[in-house]
Every structure is written in C-alpha cells, then in structure tokens.
Amino acid sequence: MPKNTKNPGHSRALKRTHKIAIAGVATLGAAAVAISAVPSNAQSTTAEAAPAGKVAYSSEKIKDVKAGVTDQLAGASLKAEQIAAKKHAAAAAEAKKAAAAHAKHKAAVAHAKHEAAVAAAKKRAEAARKAKEAASRSAKRAAVKPVAAKSYANNLNGWINHALDIMGDKGIPGSYNGLYRNIMRESSGNPNAINNWDINAINGVPSIGLLQVIKPTFDAYHVPGTAKSQYDPVANIVAAANYAADKYGSIDNVNSAY
C-alpha cells in the first residue's frame, strides 16, 4: 500500500513530538543555567529542579506612575500649605486678640485716670465751695455780731479814759495828764461843781462840771454822741477839750483859767 505522506494523524503526532522535544530542551537549558549558577566550591546537592514558571511579557507601557507621584507631592505640599495657613490664621487671631485686650486695658486705664481727674476736680470744687460758704457765714456773723461796748469805771479815771476815746475818734488833741491836771484845778474832780461867784455867775451863766464850762461854750463845742448836759462828766470833758483845742491848740496847753 503506497505510503500516505499526507496522513493527518502522522502530522499531529509529529507536532506533539516537536513540542515535547522543545520542552525538554527548555528544561535542560534551565537546569544547565541552575548548575552554572552554583559556585565552584559549593557542595553538590541532589535536588529536583523546580519547574520553570511561565513569564508573562507585555508590550504595554506603564502608565500614570509619574503622574501619581506628582499628584502625591502636590497633595502633600497643599496639605502643608493648609497647615501653615491655619497656623498663620491662628497666630493672627491670637495677635488680634492680644491687641484687643491691650487696647481694652489701655482704654480702661485712660478711663480710670479720667474718672480720677474728674473726681479730684469735683473734690476741689466742693472744698472751694465749702470754704466760700464758711467765709460767707463768718462774714455774716461778723456783720451781725454786735461790737461789745467798752466799759469804763464810773469814776474820774473812767471818765477821762472814755473822753480820750471819743476825742481820738473825733480828732481832738489832748492827753490823760493834760485833762487830769486841769480837772483837778477847776473842780477837784467833782462833776457837780458850780462856780457861783465869778463874772460868769454874775452874768447868769455859771461855770459847771469837771472843767467848769459855761452853757454857751458847752453848746458851741458840744460833740455829737455825748450827753447834752454840762453835768455829764464825759460830755463836759470832751466839750472843754474841743474848745481848748480851738483856742489854745490842745487842753495840754492850758495851765490856768481859760
């Protein structure tokens, strides 16, 4: 029977044989590579060679690796910026809070100083008002307070001193000694003394009183504020001293009847 070179079964068998041969060659190659990788001084071990695994090869390019790293770096930078911004905002808020507290304290101090100044001014004004009121009351009391009348003894010494005070107010000259000396010569100090024997008595106007003043002279030189009586010792002394001042310059200049 002629040989059928185109037998399909034979062709398939050949292909299987080729595959097995190729696999065996690959296995032997892998074993050879494994043996050559062992160092020369290494001990020989008997081990079964691990079957070679399939290696998957791909012609596709690795995508988005660089983009992912860049995005991660950008995200980290953004996060750092956000943290820094928050810290800056917090610091600004604290600074603002501190500035507000300082301004509030400063305003409180200024207000306290102002209040103290106002209070001091009010206190000074009140003290001035009270002092003014006190001065006014004192002035009123002084105005309404009656001046105590000076008292004089009811004797020759008291009459002379009283007359001298009136003479001083009216500007009439004279001294205690000048008055006393003339009084003792004229009446011996008797306010009721009357001269009934001299020319004045003969003419109906006798000399009367301490300084023996006649009625016309007494009336002409009477000093307002004193009694209108020749027998009044003070009125008599002042009128006679006023007359002597007019005629002789002062009662001190009179040493005899005048």
Side-chain angles (χ1 to χ4, degrees):
M1 199 171 165
K3 198 173 185 178
N4 187 359
T5 57
K6 297 181 180 180
N7 188 344
H10 176 76
S11 177
R12 285 195 295 271
L14 181 61
K15 289 181 179 179
R16 266 195 312 272
T17 302
H18 289 169
K19 290 180 179 179
I20 292 171
I22 292 171
V25 172
T27 301
L28 289 175
V33 171
I35 291 172
S36 64
V38 175
S40 60
N41 60 352
Q43 295 180 357
S44 299
T45 58
T46 304
E48 295 182 359
K54 293 183 179 180
V55 178
Y57 296 97
S58 175
S59 61
E60 289 188 29
K61 294 181 180 180
I62 297 176
K63 297 179 179 180
D64 299 329
V65 173
K66 183 176 180 182
V69 173
T70 302
D71 291 343
Q72 289 178 10
L73 292 175
S77 177
L78 178 61
K79 188 175 181 180
E81 290 179 357
Q82 290 175 346
I83 293 172
K86 286 181 179 180
K87 288 183 178 180
H88 179 72
E94 287 297 324
K96 186 176 181 181
K97 185 177 179 181
H102 178 71
K104 186 177 181 180
H105 174 72
K106 189 175 181 181
V109 171
H111 180 71
K113 287 183 178 179
H114 175 71
E115 290 295 323
V118 170
K122 287 182 179 180
K123 189 175 181 179
R124 288 194 298 270
E126 182 65 14
R129 183 186 67 80
K130 288 182 178 180
K132 186 176 181 180
E133 288 180 354
S136 178
R137 288 193 297 269
S138 178
K140 288 179 180 179
R141 285 195 299 269
V144 299
K145 185 178 180 180
V147 178
K150 188 176 181 178
S151 61
Y152 302 93
N154 190 25
N155 54 32
L156 181 60
N157 182 65
W159 300 331
I160 292 175
N161 284 322
H162 192 180
L164 285 171
D165 285 343
I166 295 173
M167 290 164 60
D169 290 339
K170 302 298 182 180
I172 300 170
S175 66
Y176 185 98
N177 183 61
L179 292 173
Y180 181 82
R181 177 168 44 81
N182 282 283
I183 288 171
M184 295 307 293
R185 187 188 68 251
E186 294 292 334
S187 65
S188 299
N190 180 9
N192 295 316
I194 301 175
N195 186 336
N196 289 317
W197 53 267
D198 64 1
I199 188 63
N200 292 319
I202 294 171
N203 292 330
V205 284
S207 300
I208 297 174
L210 291 175
L211 285 171
Q212 294 292 288
V213 182
I214 62 176
K215 178 68 166 142
T217 301
F218 179 82
D219 291 341
Y221 291 94
H222 173 261
V223 174
T226 61
K228 289 186 178 182
S229 172
Q230 291 169 267
Y231 292 99
D232 183 85
V234 175
N236 187 284
I237 293 172
V238 175
N242 192 22
Y243 167 75
D246 182 42
K247 297 299 181 180
Y248 307 102
S250 172
I251 192 68
D252 294 347
N253 298 330
V254 178
N255 295 298
S256 61
Y258 56 105

